Amino acid sequence: MAARVRALETILVQKGLIDPAAIDVIVDIYETKVGPRNGAKVVAKAWTEPDYAGWLKKDATAAIASLGFTGRQGEHMQAVFNSDDTHNLVVCTLCSCYPWTVLGLPPVWYKAPPYRSRAVIDPRGVLEEFGLTLPPQKKVRVWDSTAELRYLVVPQRPAGTDNWDAERLAELVTRDSMIGTGLAKEPVAA
Amino acid sequence: MPDEPVFAEPWQAQAFAMTVALHERGVFTWAEWAQALSREVKAPGAAADGGDYYDCWLRALETLLAERKLAPTADVDDLAAAWERAAHATPHGEPIRLENDPQGGHF
């Protein structure tokens, strides 16, 4: 595999289609700079600022871009908000479309066939495997990502965090809670 | 489930970044890319645990570039073999360079 990648790179550089320095920059961005911390900032801001939450609901692409997180693939973002009666879960049945700008690159299980096929057919079963059992009256909505539209789940703000600021709240927002396979962490009792 | 590093091996990062760069140059649309990748990850024989994801990724990239006559498969085969020979001919600890291919003649 490594030799084939080098071969492709050699050809593309010779043809002037890629610049090796630009490739290194992209690798660095995805290895070290983008990740679920970006998404956690978006969620915590929505929890603390109702105006921002409203904007995020109406135009997630712009609301997220306002924090400096812009997509490289021209994709649109939609934020789906968990509530007392609905839990949201994101999958890409096609391949592995994922909101890179806010979550980084997807975990292995997100890309694996079992999750991609079962999240739609049996979302509750999948959630239970993640240790998340929802009350039967709670609806589960599954969102299937595409190359053009990616979803970010906004988990519910945990109880007991009334006086917390956004920075502290962001610590409670896990990657899985923004895919929908988990909830935000509960505050640890002081 | 434990978190894994973003890329398991350096070539995965290179293949990923080349795809992003080629898309930004307009060589293919992201929808075309998603379709190509989908074909590979849904092909019979794809690993159930997604462990061959970047193998699928690379095949999808090679297919798109071959279709666009930007990197014909035969050229990639030849150059990959040259890189392999260069790797074997390069003393351990030194960067591998295509010039080290004992059969040479690539430029």
Side-chain angles (χ1 to χ4, degrees):
Chain A
M1 284 302 176
R4 294 197 75 78
V5 172
R6 281 187 187 250
L8 270 186
E9 191 176 9
T10 307
I11 293 170
L12 296 170
V13 169
Q14 273 175 1
K15 295 196 170 170
L17 287 168
I18 57 171
D19 164 12
I23 297 297
D24 289 345
V25 169
I26 294 170
V27 170
D28 182 55
I29 288 172
Y30 282 96
E31 281 189 328
T32 62
K33 297 199 173 68
V34 303
R37 288 303 91 210
N38 291 3
K41 279 187 201 146
V42 172
V43 170
K45 192 171 170 68
W47 281 349
T48 49
E49 297 174 30
D51 285 353
Y52 185 76
W55 188 18
L56 188 62
K57 211 172 265 182
K58 276 207 302 276
D59 186 356
T61 310
I64 291 169
S66 76
L67 300 183
F69 312 139
T70 48
R72 297 173 78 96
Q73 285 82 43
E75 72 274 25
H76 288 277
M77 290 289 311
Q78 184 176 338
V80 290
F81 288 69
N82 286 349
S83 66
D84 286 340
D85 42 44
T86 306
H87 181 87
N88 294 287
L89 178 67
V90 178
V91 65
C92 175
T93 56
L94 180 69
C95 48
S96 54
C97 301
Y98 190 73
W100 294 356
T101 48
V102 279
L103 296 186
L105 293 181
V108 166
W109 54 260
Y110 185 87
K111 302 178 288 198
Y115 180 77
R116 297 198 341 261
S117 55
R118 288 190 46 233
V120 173
I121 305 165
D122 178 23
R124 278 174 197 276
V126 168
L127 290 177
E128 277 177 23
E129 283 165 27
F130 279 89
L132 181 57
T133 306
L134 297 172
Q137 68 273 19
K138 193 169 242 198
K139 271 189 301 185
V140 179
R141 261 191 97 165
V142 180
W143 302 83
D144 195 355
S145 311
T146 67
E148 293 87 14
L149 184 59
R150 326 267 174 105
Y151 301 95
L152 175 72
V153 174
V154 180
Q156 285 185 284
R157 179 173 175 164
T161 59
D162 289 356
N163 302 320
W164 290 34
D165 63 12
E167 200 178 325
R168 204 169 159 211
L169 284 166
E171 300 292 316
L172 301 178
V173 185
T174 64
R175 178 194 66 201
D176 287 7
S177 75
M178 293 181 281
I179 304 174
T181 52
L183 303 177
K185 285 191 277 190
E186 293 296 324
V188 181
Chain B
M1 298 184 202
D3 273 338
E4 69 285 346
V6 175
F7 301 107
E9 295 176 42
W11 68 263
Q12 299 178 349
Q14 295 296 117
F16 168 83
M18 282 198 284
T19 307
V20 171
L22 289 166
H23 166 259
E24 285 176 3
R25 265 194 84 100
V27 173
F28 42 76
T29 67
W30 204 255
E32 287 168 334
W33 166 253
Q35 213 169 23
L37 179 59
S38 175
R39 265 200 306 271
E40 295 297 338
V41 299
K42 288 189 168 170
D49 63 359
D52 61 352
Y53 178 73
Y54 279 105
D55 301 54
C56 295
W57 185 291
L58 180 57
R59 276 199 299 275
L61 182 59
E62 283 195 35
T63 304
L64 276 183
L65 292 173
E67 280 170 4
R68 283 160 178 71
K69 309 213 183 323
L70 294 172
T73 306
D75 293 1
V76 179
D77 290 345
D78 288 350
L79 263 178
W83 272 111
E84 295 274 11
R85 289 191 300 267
H88 287 299
T90 303
H92 187 72
E94 283 180 30
I96 301 163
R97 291 149 50 95
L98 200 51
E99 292 87 328
N100 295 350
D101 171 16
Q103 295 184 21
H106 302 289
F107 292 102

